[in-house]
Amino acid sequence: MSEIQLRPHDRLVDDLVARLEPVRPLPSPGRRALVWAGAVLALGLGLLAVLELEGLRGPHPAEAPLVLFGAVLTALSAAYAAYAAFATSVPGRPARWALLPLAPAALWIGASGPGCLRALAGPGLEAPHAPHGCFIFLLGVSLPLSVLLVLMLRRACPLRPNLTAALGGLAVAAAAAALLAPFHPLETTAVDLMVHGATVLGVIGLNGLAGGRLLDRSRR
């Protein structure tokens, strides 16, 4: 009798086992970060093809090393923040990965100041351009990069969605700033610094809030 009662359960188990499909593991955080960085590079090449290269005129000789140093730090901030976002999206990975992009980001911010101070010391040296163009560029570039990054992060199961999304926002903001460099007058003004800083903070904040909601599986 008990054998007869168990048979339907056996068939149910067999049916469930037959329907199982192997789960394809996610690539490592480093590989996913490289894929996203490849998309950033492709976007940059597309922009180079359609936009005027206003910023490629040479900087003041005293500022040239800082310009190059700042560009490298911006790219490193984007790369490290993207890796940290993908690392923290994997359950079991420690939250201390969030500290990875802090050093290059702090140096990036610090390297942005000397050009501004130089412009204040000699107002006639300021580059004539409209800061709102930087704002539009940064937001316009950040939008597709944010959407792509959130879609990639959603494939994992981040236990700290707001932290992961904020790191993604830092990666996006830094990548957008790096892509802006070839089109931006290389002598930074005080207005530039304020516009760039406010836009970068806004991108990080919006990603942290909106992206965090999208990555939170408890809301699905």
Side-chain angles (χ1 to χ4, degrees):
M1 184 72 165
S2 61
E3 229 179 299
I4 297 175
Q5 291 176 346
L6 286 175
R7 282 178 185 171
H9 297 289
D10 293 337
R11 286 197 298 270
L12 176 61
V13 171
D14 290 340
D15 289 342
L16 291 175
V17 170
R19 295 176 187 174
L20 288 178
E21 296 181 1
V23 177
R24 186 178 181 181
L26 284 174
S28 67
R31 288 188 178 183
R32 286 185 286 159
L34 282 175
V35 171
W36 184 77
V40 174
L41 181 60
L43 178 59
L45 293 175
L47 291 172
L48 285 174
V50 298
L51 296 182
E52 182 181 352
L53 298 180
E54 179 187 352
L56 288 185
R57 60 182 179 80
H60 186 276
E63 196 179 340
L66 276 175
V67 170
L68 179 59
F69 185 55
V72 171
L73 290 173
T74 307
L76 283 178
S77 299
Y80 284 11
Y83 184 92
F86 286 116
T88 56
S89 72
V90 179
R93 293 290 184 102
R96 62 176 177 270
W97 277 110
L99 301 175
L100 182 65
L102 294 188
L107 292 172
W108 163 36
I109 295 170
S112 303
C116 171
L117 294 176
R118 179 176 173 273
L120 290 176
L125 297 174
E126 291 193 10
H129 71 286
H132 69 271
C134 301
F135 174 76
I136 294 172
F137 183 98
L138 290 171
L139 281 187
V141 170
S142 296
L143 180 59
L145 293 181
S146 296
V147 171
L148 175 61
L149 191 58
V150 168
L151 289 176
M152 294 178 70
L153 290 171
R154 275 171 64 89
R155 293 190 59 198
C157 183
L159 301 180
R160 295 170 288 270
N162 290 101
L163 174 63
T164 298
L167 289 167
L170 175 57
V172 166
L179 294 179
L180 173 64
F183 310 99
H184 189 275
L186 296 175
E187 290 166 346
T188 307
T189 68
V191 176
D192 286 331
L193 198 61
M194 288 188 291
V195 170
H196 293 186
T199 308
V200 165
L201 290 176
V203 169
I204 295 173
L206 287 174
N207 272 270
L209 293 175
R213 292 175 67 89
L214 291 172
L215 296 178
D216 189 354
R217 287 183 177 268
S218 65
R219 296 177 179 270
R220 300 180 192 179

